[in-house]
Amino acid sequence: QVHPVESGGGLVQAGGSLRLSCVASGGKFSDYNMGWFRQAPGKEREFVAAISRNGDDTYYADFVKGRFTISRDNAKNTVPLQMNSLKPEDTAVYYCASSLDRYVHVARVDWQYDDWGQGTQVTVSS
């Protein structure tokens, strides 16, 4: 199994940008859907973005469309999440996850994912 590790979180002002990085190891990276989720204090973990095994398809939650971009580099086992036009409501711990579900092209829900990173904190000030 591939195990994701996130980095790149921090404090940013509203309207600013951050680039999160997910580095995965421990398996054939190109076999896995990869996704980003987030969880704010007291709230359920929610889907943010996902990308297919070969990077040919992506899917985004409505609240990040036009602002966030997920991509992947299968040669480097990385899945960056570029976050622009950040809002205070984007404040959360962001998690990278991997999915070996063979029946989906882009995994969109948490139960489709097998391995999770520890998370990286993103704080957006008003």
Side-chain angles (χ1 to χ4, degrees):
Q1 301 293 325
V2 297
H3 180 68
V5 177
E6 308 94 335
S7 63
L11 176 64
V12 65
Q13 293 181 341
S17 298
L18 281 175
R19 185 176 177 87
L20 305 184
S21 178
C22 174
V23 180
S25 62
K28 187 177 180 181
F29 183 66
S30 59
D31 284 346
Y32 292 82
N33 277 256
M34 300 297 295
W36 284 93
F37 292 75
R38 70 187 189 188
Q39 186 169 26
K43 296 187 177 181
E44 294 284 327
R45 184 166 56 194
E46 61 184 353
F47 171 78
V48 175
I51 190 164
S52 61
R53 296 170 183 84
N54 62 2
D56 66 345
D57 200 13
T58 58
Y59 194 82
Y60 296 92
D62 287 342
F63 54 80
V64 302
K65 286 182 178 177
R67 300 190 297 125
F68 292 9
T69 302
I70 188 173
S71 59
R72 71 188 294 161
D73 186 340
N74 284 353
K76 298 181 179 179
N77 291 7
T78 59
V79 183
L81 182 70
Q82 179 66 44
M83 305 187 297
N84 299 325
S85 302
L86 284 162
K87 305 174 182 179
E89 53 262 43
D90 293 320
T91 295
V93 177
Y94 283 71
Y95 298 91
C96 182
S98 61
S99 172
L100 198 57
D101 194 325
R102 294 172 291 180
Y103 297 98
V104 298
H105 188 58
V106 182
R108 304 176 185 179
V109 295
D110 54 4
W111 57 262
Q112 295 177 311
Y113 287 85
D114 305 301
D115 209 350
W116 297 76
Q118 296 299 306
T120 185
Q121 176 70 49
V122 172
T123 302
V124 184
S125 62
S126 60

